[in-house]
Amino acid sequence: MYTNSGSSTVQLTAKVEPADADNKDMAWSSSTPSVATVNEDGLVTVHTAGTAVIKVAGGFSETCIVIVSVYVHDDSDEDNQSGGSNSSVRDQA
């Protein structure tokens, strides 16, 4: 995920099968809450650059690796206003 504000969200989903399974309970967790947290509904909120493993577990277990990079946009460069990363180097002298 890329974020330009340091905080963005993404919704993860997990489906229990078969539909008539006895245990449909799920618990979400993050290996690195300083990078990304996840609520009881699978909504991941990123906080800073880094890597976190999001896990959902119940009668099963699955993981999703979330890699967060913070995109910094320099508004002072009027000639480079397109999205993506800025690979130009400016002389600060």
Side-chain angles (χ1 to χ4, degrees):
M1 290 181 65
Y2 287 95
T3 178
N4 62 356
S5 63
S7 181
S8 294
T9 60
V10 64
Q11 180 68 53
L12 299 180
T13 58
K15 183 177 181 181
V16 177
E17 292 185 338
D20 62 349
D22 290 334
N23 182 1
K24 294 184 181 182
D25 294 337
M26 291 185 227
W28 295 88
S29 62
S30 171
S31 66
T32 316
S34 61
V35 172
T37 53
V38 60
N39 73 9
E40 65 276 1
D41 298 316
L43 182 67
V44 177
T45 302
V46 299
H47 304 289
T48 190
T51 301
V53 177
I54 304 300
K55 181 178 180 179
V56 61
F60 62 94
S61 178
E62 290 293 333
T63 60
C64 175
I65 298 172
V66 176
I67 301 171
V68 181
S69 298
V70 178
Y71 171 72
V72 179
H73 181 72
D74 182 0
D75 288 334
S76 66
D77 187 358
E78 295 297 324
D79 292 334
N80 189 8
Q81 293 296 314
S82 62
S85 62
N86 183 352
S87 61
S88 64
V89 177
R90 300 173 76 188
D91 184 0
Q92 299 295 321

